[in-house]
Amino acid sequence: MRFSIFFIMIVCGFFLCRTEIIAQPLNSDIRAQLLDYLTGSCEEGEEDSFVEFVQKNEQAVTPVIIKFVQDGVPKDFIKNLEATTLRLYADRQKLLNEKSNFGLSEENLEILKKESQEAFTKRMTKDFRDGFMKQTIFGLSLLRSKDAQDLLNKISTDKNHPYQRSAENALILLKKQ
Amino acid sequence: MSKKINHIQILIVLLSVLMTTLGCADKVRIRNSAGEEHGLLVDGQSNSGHVNDRDRVSTSITIDVGKLRASSSTNEIIAFTKSRPVAIRDNVNWTTHRDIEEIAFSDKIYIPVTVWIVKGPYTDKLLKAGNAAVYTIGIFDAENVGIGFSEFEIINKTSMTDASTYYNFAPTADPDDWKNNVGWKDDRINIYYLETVSGSSTTGRAVGFSNFIVLGENFGDIAVVHEIGHSFSARHKSSPDFNKKCIMWPFYNTSDPFLYFSEGELFRMHVNSTSALNSVYNARPGLITRSCVGNVSSDQCVDWRKRLWDDGVLLAN
Ligand SMILES: [Zn+2]
């Protein structure tokens, strides 16, 4: 008796695992594509715009977008970004000291040269985080699920939410369309 | 005795014929080189048929390009080097003899660009735009683009009347509204720092591949070079021959920045008549222009995937 329950559990487990394995590639593919759109893109006309992408894959992206809105930027992104900004800052200061053909005015060159590494990293990280979160909230506004709409409405009325204005903007844009 | 001389004479004749056919390859001599590595793509006729874009990379200023003679198709030399624009010479007179053909690089091209900051805070955007200028020049120099900025002007329009009317650039927006009300300079690339482009703060767009570029407020500084690439007629690259480190990849990620242009793209940015370099700046007066827009390849148009040097994991091809 005990053995047959154990056996059934193993069989069920096997099938659950299989489903997981089969389902995963599709979802991870969509997730990767979504992340591409969230970190930044260029609209040229050849690929789907962000709006088209979200609408085409609405079901698959809905839980991912909601999770990003709630949890924020994935930790590994921020970790990579910190390492990259250190390198970008060092490269920039080296270029600023070695070359003079950027076309920038003396005044603007000085402003750039004076920016400390801490200020640079802070600014770049904020820029990245803001971009990612605003885009995620924009994505949220394109979803028709009740959970998504409730979340958007909640953020748009929460004056303490860092991206309240983005949610409000997204709602205004939606009404215009 | 005389038979022996005859044998030697025949041998000498045979050897000289062999030397002229095999040993004495044609050469290309580089003029105005900055002393850096040179890359060549050469067209002509070889014994096995028409040669399109035979490639060579060398630090020498005289480069062996193999035996070539006149082709009924293209006879040309295209050259790349650091800090100089792509050089192209057509109607090269390849003969059956040993040719030494010259190609000259023009001086680096300096272009003015104007940035219009519409949505502030101005100081933040000034730093973003300045950062974008430095990063772009870094890429241009590293990737043999041969272009610099004579001026990278940054204009503060944040306190203009009704500035917020121009914060959001919708998919169907008319650039003329920005040109007429925010500002516009005809003779250059104009970049507008707005709030959103097509609803997104991280999206950028060079409208119609023109010199009118709009950016969302969180558009990556490292990706402005991509939009300028569009103004130079470059199209998106997302085939397996490219990856996310390529500047014309449709998506960017500041935590893993862009680094590379292929030589096929550089060629297009310089010679396409629709490139702002020719159509707006007239920066190559009297030089060859072509219509190699998009992913077409022919004797006249270098393969858009062509790479003379490795671009990270993407090897020269
Ligand atoms: Zn693009």
Side-chain angles (χ1 to χ4, degrees):
Chain A
M1 182 62 186
R2 251 185 218 164
F3 177 77
S4 58
I5 291 172
F6 184 62
F7 181 75
I8 289 166
M9 274 169 70
I10 285 177
V11 170
C12 289
F14 174 75
F15 278 103
L16 275 172
C17 274
R18 259 183 67 91
T19 326
E20 183 75 6
I21 289 161
I22 292 163
Q24 214 172 18
L26 176 72
N27 286 337
S28 67
D29 207 36
I30 297 277
R31 189 179 185 273
Q33 280 183 52
L34 174 66
L35 280 170
D36 278 345
Y37 280 103
L38 295 180
T39 53
S41 61
C42 165
E43 198 166 88
E44 190 220 53
E46 274 182 16
E47 303 84 17
D48 283 339
S49 68
F50 180 56
V51 177
E52 286 164 334
F53 169 77
V54 170
Q55 284 168 348
K56 273 187 192 169
N57 303 287
E58 190 171 349
Q59 227 179 342
V61 298
T62 296
V64 192
I65 288 180
I66 291 177
K67 195 158 165 49
F68 281 146
V69 172
Q70 288 165 337
D71 297 356
V73 184
K75 292 235 165 27
D76 52 327
F77 272 50
I78 294 294
K79 214 177 149 202
N80 282 345
L81 186 69
E82 277 165 6
T84 308
T85 52
L86 288 180
R87 209 183 67 232
L88 285 175
Y89 180 78
D91 287 353
R92 190 189 76 175
Q93 297 309 95
K94 192 167 173 276
L95 283 167
L96 282 170
N97 290 323
E98 280 174 5
K99 298 180 190 236
S100 52
N101 60 342
F102 307 105
L104 293 161
S105 68
E106 280 302 317
E107 193 193 341
N108 290 345
L109 268 178
E110 280 311 304
I111 293 172
L112 281 179
K113 280 184 188 171
K114 274 186 195 152
E115 191 183 26
S116 70
Q117 188 194 290
E118 291 71 32
F120 177 86
T121 305
K122 201 178 155 197
R123 186 170 61 78
M124 292 289 271
T125 312
K126 183 179 179 337
D127 200 27
F128 183 86
R129 191 188 298 274
D130 284 357
F132 188 97
M133 292 312 293
K134 285 177 200 170
Q135 183 76 335
T136 308
I137 287 171
F138 178 43
L140 185 71
S141 78
L142 304 169
L143 304 174
R144 288 168 302 178
S145 88
K146 194 179 174 304
D147 286 351
Q149 289 186 5
D150 287 349
L151 185 57
L152 182 69
N153 285 323
K154 199 178 129 214
I155 296 172
S156 72
T157 50
D158 178 359
K159 295 282 175 201
N160 292 319
H161 196 284
Y163 301 106
Q164 182 268 335
R165 190 178 137 76
S166 307
E168 203 176 45
N169 266 357
L171 283 169
I172 293 167
L173 273 175
L174 276 187
K175 273 175 202 151
K176 272 189 192 168
Q177 281 162 8
Chain B
M1 182 70 182
S2 68
K3 231 180 183 178
K4 202 172 188 180
I5 289 170
N6 273 349
H7 279 146
I8 290 167
Q9 279 172 336
I10 292 166
L11 200 70
I12 289 169
V13 170
L14 277 174
L15 273 172
S16 40
V17 168
L18 207 69
M19 273 176 73
T20 37
T21 49
L22 293 173
C24 300
D26 297 319
K27 292 186 190 317
V28 169
R29 186 173 292 152
I30 312 275
R31 289 176 55 197
N32 311 342
S33 152
E36 302 276 350
E37 206 167 30
H38 314 105
L40 293 181
L41 296 171
V42 180
D43 288 10
Q45 184 81 19
S46 76
N47 286 337
S48 46
H50 179 69
V51 171
N52 182 37
D53 296 334
R54 175 179 282 171
D55 53 8
R56 294 286 185 271
V57 170
S58 170
T59 45
S60 169
I61 55 160
T62 309
I63 303 169
D64 189 324
V65 293
K67 191 79 197 110
L68 290 169
R69 58 179 191 274
S71 163
S72 55
S73 181
T74 43
N75 296 287
E76 57 187 31
I77 304 165
I78 300 162
F80 302 82
T81 195
K82 198 149 240 134
S83 302
R84 304 275 178 161
V86 177
I88 170 168
R89 193 186 142 199
D90 63 356
N91 299 319
V92 176
N93 191 23
W94 301 117
T95 68
T96 49
H97 306 290
R98 180 175 182 259
D99 304 306
I100 299 181
E101 293 293 336
E102 293 200 327
I103 186 154
F105 284 107
S106 306
D107 287 340
K108 189 170 182 173
I109 297 168
Y110 285 94
I111 56 164
V113 168
T114 292
V115 167
W116 307 89
I117 296 187
V118 183
K119 182 168 187 250
Y122 176 68
T123 349
D124 282 5
K125 299 301 164 64
L126 174 72
L127 284 165
K128 272 183 78 63
N131 211 24
V134 178
Y135 193 81
T136 302
I137 291 298
I139 292 267
F140 279 4
D141 285 354
E143 287 297 288
N144 301 344
V145 181
I147 298 172
F149 295 137
S150 57
E151 185 186 15
F152 199 88
E153 183 187 28
I154 302 172
I155 298 181
N156 184 357
K157 297 296 278 189
T158 56
S159 37
M160 68 178 269
T161 333
D162 299 334
S164 64
T165 319
Y166 305 99
Y167 279 180
N168 303 297
F169 194 88
T172 53
D174 181 359
D176 281 347
D177 291 343
W178 276 259
K179 292 181 183 179
N180 296 334
N181 298 297
V182 177
W184 169 255
K185 295 193 177 183
D186 234 355
D187 63 343
R188 60 186 66 194
I189 290 173
N190 292 254
I191 304 175
Y192 299 81
Y193 276 74
L194 309 178
E195 181 174 4
T196 65
V197 170
S198 300
S200 151
S201 81
T202 50
T203 292
R205 195 177 156 201
V207 181
F209 304 95
S210 72
N211 52 333
F212 177 90
I213 295 172
V214 281
L215 308 176
E217 65 182 330
N218 302 112
F219 189 79
D221 306 345
I222 56 118
V224 173
V225 63
H226 170 107
E227 300 307 327
I228 294 176
H230 280 318
S231 294
F232 293 153
S233 84
R235 297 305 202 253
H236 280 172
K237 299 295 181 309
S238 47
S239 80
D241 303 279
F242 292 84
N243 65 22
K244 62 183 175 181
K245 305 299 282 180
C246 298
I247 293 157
M248 295 321 293
W249 192 255
F251 302 100
Y252 68 87
N253 185 340
T254 304
S255 72
D256 188 13
F258 286 146
L259 288 176
Y260 309 113
F261 278 121
S262 70
E263 274 60 47
E265 290 174 303
L266 286 186
F267 170 83
R268 283 165 174 71
M269 284 156 59
H270 283 268
V271 309
N272 274 342
S273 51
T274 54
S275 163
L277 222 43
N278 298 308
S279 67
V280 175
Y281 293 105
N282 192 25
R284 303 171 59 254
L287 299 180
I288 295 167
T289 57
R290 298 227 166 120
S291 181
C292 298
V293 173
N295 304 341
V296 287
S297 303
S298 65
D299 288 349
Q300 295 257 324
C301 301
V302 174
D303 193 305
W304 46 284
R305 295 159 294 199
K306 184 67 192 172
R307 240 174 235 113
L308 279 167
W309 290 275
D310 296 348
D311 287 342
V313 297
L314 300 165
L315 304 181
N317 52 17

